Amino acid sequence: MKRVLVANRGEIALRIVRACHEEGLEAVAVYSAADRSSPHVRAADRAVSIGPAAPSQSYLNIDRLIQAALDTEADAIHPGYGFLAERAAFAEAVERAGLIFVGPPSAAIRAMGDKTEARRRMKQAGVPIVPGASAPVDDLGPALGLAREVGYPVMVKATAGGGGKGMRVVETPDQLAGALEAAASEALKSFGDAGVYLEKFIQRPRHIEIQILADHERTIHLGERECSIQRRHQKLVEEAPSSAVSEQLRELMGAAAVAAAEAVMYRGAGTCEFLLAADQSFYFLEMNTRIQVEHPVTELVYGVDLVREQLRIAAGEPMRIHQGWLHPRGWALECRITSEDPANGFLPSTGRVQYLRVPGGPGVRWDSGVEVGDEVTLHYDSMLAKLLVHAPDRRQALARMARALDELAIVGVATNQGFHRRLMADAAFREGDIDIQFLDRRADLLQPDAAADAILDLAVAAALAEDEARRSRVPTVAADAHASEGWLRQARLEGLQ
């Protein structure tokens, strides 16, 4: 394997391009008309236009992606996350074209993509599952019977679902018919499949996921991530490890995740998601058959580059790590910085990024594919960046994240930065007293804080003024000499590489 086509955009595409280069591989970027000058395009060795801005005509067009790989003589395709990453049909098309799919076999994607089939296989493998249906529910009569059997409340879920789409909580029998209809309609629009099923709704669980890696000989786990801070089933903050998971529980959940992966002959990086109840019982929720958005928190705590391991496994090489070597070190937090307007019901915000001040300092990581001058549109996901910190313990990680959020400045689009600042200061969150319904109870954290936002606006205005003043100054001879020295020093460094 010498050349990899990255079938994605933005932050994850740039992340994969960098990993390819570190592995000694060439990277081919693809781009829509809206992404012609994006960072991932400039970072790649080659770049191919694949169509208009609309994803259906570019990043979701399987034929164009395959052709781009063949035209550039790529050996493999990495799907990243989102778009086609969990489409078995895409993996099959890659395989038929004689290319390597940097991900699990298409059969594993198909098995885990069908939620009822996944539940059946997990039950056979001894992995605990939430009580509920083992097949899609076709009409109201059987649904009412099953709901009575498992007990209300129940959750209606799309069989081909993910990302919170096609899901409804049902508290009473009279709500079930409407929930089935609404979930099926949403599932059909989102996934092209109207199938839904029922399972018991676990009250106030935590959302814990286990990262796994599998090559052709071994399957291992890399501990847990806490993903309980969610809004409308969309994750907003992730951390590793979890304050609710003991070392013993970590091993139990890790063993269950490994069993789940082995049940479908999994290869590559994947994530098993579990619901963790207050009594420490846990239940398999689903498997994400791709790299996760939040994979960096695991990387920071375990010191493993998951994308590079994906590339090695796809090339037929063994993993460089062993289960016995893996022990969590310190604490990592990730805040998803999105272009959503809290003052307008968190609707997507669009515009041009006019100014960007990225946080820095010890233990701070900024994963983004957005730069000053970039246009944020409605065509793609609203995530602008992932702000990550790593520290010796959770208390210090929270303090570091609060500091990094104070340093961050984005002008041109509304963001959820204020929400993250309020969350880091919240007493219950700081104590780890959280579950997946935390924000349902704490709507106050989602409301804009006029006073705090005004202070942030003043700070950004001051930074903009200083930046403008700096740009307008006439360079001195000393400044020119210093710039020249910096250029020469960089040139020397590049010459040594």
Side-chain angles (χ1 to χ4, degrees), residues 11 38 58 82 95 126 129 133 143 157 159 194 196 199-200 203 225 294 312 340 356 366 381 395 426 456 467 482:
E11 171 270 325
S38 293
S58 51
E95 294 162 359
I129 61 173
K157 301 178 70 173
T159 59
V196 296
E199 65 181 27
K200 176 70 176 174
Q203 298 278 19
R225 294 187 290 257
E294 59 272 23
R312 286 180 60 86
E340 296 176 318
L356 175 63
W366 175 260
D381 185 83
R395 180 185 62 80
D426 182 73
L456 180 61
D467 186 61
H482 180 74

Side-chain angles (χ1 to χ4, degrees), residues 372-421:
V372 172
D374 286 351
E375 189 76 26
V376 177
T377 73
L378 293 175
H379 288 296
Y380 310 117
D381 185 83
S382 63
M383 192 174 72
L384 300 175
K386 301 182 303 198
L387 176 57
L388 297 117
V389 300
H390 184 239
D393 56 38
R394 190 172 190 267
R395 180 185 62 80
Q396 295 181 71
L398 289 168
R400 181 160 286 171
M401 180 61 82
R403 186 267 296 171
L405 285 164
D406 285 341
E407 288 185 10
L408 174 63
I410 302 175
V411 177
V413 291
T415 76
N416 64 348
Q417 179 182 356
F419 157 75
H420 287 298
R421 294 167 81 243

Side-chain angles (χ1 to χ4, degrees), residues 68-396:
L70 295 174
D71 289 346
T72 55
E73 299 182 330
D75 308 296
I77 294 182
H78 195 310
Y81 56 70
F83 292 130
L84 296 168
E86 292 184 280
R87 300 277 185 91
F90 182 47
E92 289 168 349
V94 173
E95 294 162 359
R96 283 197 305 270
L99 302 169
I100 299 168
F101 184 73
V102 184
S106 56
I109 298 175
R110 194 174 299 283
M112 285 302 194
D114 184 326
K115 301 303 185 258
T116 53
E117 172 65 10
R119 283 170 57 84
R120 185 187 67 79
R121 291 204 184 201
M122 294 307 98
K123 187 174 182 179
Q124 287 182 342
V127 178
I129 61 173
V130 179
S134 56
V137 176
D138 296 324
D139 57 53
L140 183 60
L144 285 168
L146 181 60
R148 281 195 301 271
E149 182 181 333
V150 301
Y152 288 93
V154 296
M155 175 79 83
V156 179
K157 301 178 70 173
T159 59
K165 299 289 195 304
M167 296 173 61
R168 295 292 187 278
V169 177
V170 179
E171 302 280 353
T172 59
D174 60 295
Q175 297 175 351
L176 189 53
L180 288 169
E181 183 178 352
S185 176
E186 188 173 62
L188 182 62
K189 292 177 183 177
S190 300
F191 314 113
D193 184 343
V196 296
Y197 69 102
L198 291 185
E199 65 181 27
K200 176 70 176 174
F201 181 68
I202 308 298
Q203 298 278 19
R204 296 186 61 172
R206 298 174 84 115
H207 185 127
I208 305 294
E209 59 188 30
I210 304 291
Q211 176 71 54
I212 65 102
L213 274 176
D215 61 20
H216 291 80
E217 296 182 0
R218 299 180 292 127
T219 303
I220 64 172
H221 74 85
L222 294 91
E224 81 280 1
R225 294 187 290 257
E226 170 88 57
C227 305
S228 297
I229 300 300
Q230 305 176 9
R231 179 179 176 274
R232 296 177 182 170
H233 306 293
Q234 295 290 328
K235 302 167 189 173
L236 298 175
V237 176
E238 297 96 355
E239 57 185 301
S242 166
S243 57
V245 176
S246 64
E247 186 173 347
Q248 180 181 15
L249 181 57
R250 179 176 300 123
E251 290 308 309
L252 289 172
M253 297 184 77
V258 167
E262 290 178 341
V264 294
M265 300 181 67
Y266 200 86
R267 297 290 180 271
T271 299
C272 287
E273 300 192 345
F274 295 92
L275 295 179
L276 177 64
D279 63 0
Q280 298 286 279
S281 59
F282 61 90
Y283 306 94
F284 175 83
L285 184 62
E286 64 180 2
M287 186 174 192
N288 296 125
T289 53
R290 53 174 167 79
I291 196 75
Q292 290 276 90
V293 173
E294 59 272 23
H295 74 272
V297 294
T298 296
E299 294 183 327
L300 292 171
V301 168
Y302 284 92
V304 174
D305 188 320
L306 291 169
V307 179
R308 290 184 67 180
E309 291 300 325
Q310 278 189 298
L311 294 168
R312 286 180 60 86
I313 292 167
E317 300 175 28
M319 290 183 281
R320 282 172 282 212
I321 51 180
H322 294 268
Q323 191 69 69
W325 301 353
L326 296 168
H327 303 283
R329 296 186 298 275
W331 212 280
L333 280 167
E334 174 181 290
C335 288
R336 300 190 187 192
I337 307 300
T338 62
S339 56
E340 296 176 318
D341 188 356
N344 194 24
F346 278 81
L347 289 174
S349 173
T350 61
R352 188 174 299 279
V353 178
Q354 301 169 6
Y355 177 79
L356 175 63
R357 184 178 65 202
V358 174
V364 177
R365 172 171 163 177
W366 175 260
D367 283 16
S368 178
V370 174
E371 296 178 337
V372 172
D374 286 351
E375 189 76 26
V376 177
T377 73
L378 293 175
H379 288 296
Y380 310 117
D381 185 83
S382 63
M383 192 174 72
L384 300 175
K386 301 182 303 198
L387 176 57
L388 297 117
V389 300
H390 184 239
D393 56 38
R394 190 172 190 267
R395 180 185 62 80
Q396 295 181 71

Side-chain angles (χ1 to χ4, degrees), residues 18 27 44 65 113 131 137 141 158 166 195 225 233 324 327 341 382 404 424 430 447 449 451-452 464 477:
R18 288 168 169 164
L65 292 168
V137 176
R225 294 187 290 257
H233 306 293
H327 303 283
D341 188 356
S382 63
M424 294 303 127
R430 295 179 68 84
Q447 299 304 312
D449 184 329
L464 278 168
V477 173

Side-chain angles (χ1 to χ4, degrees), residues 428-485:
F429 175 74
R430 295 179 68 84
E431 289 297 317
D433 183 16
I434 57 177
D435 56 71
I436 63 173
Q437 283 110 37
F438 180 78
L439 291 182
D440 294 337
R441 301 189 302 275
R442 295 296 310 278
D444 57 301
L445 293 171
L446 298 170
Q447 299 304 312
D449 184 329
D453 291 347
I455 294 172
L456 180 61
D457 289 343
L458 288 172
V460 171
L464 278 168
E466 172 60 24
D467 186 61
E468 185 64 29
R470 178 180 59 78
R471 292 176 183 274
S472 64
R473 293 188 193 114
V474 177
T476 64
V477 173
D480 287 344
H482 180 74
S484 298
E485 288 172 4

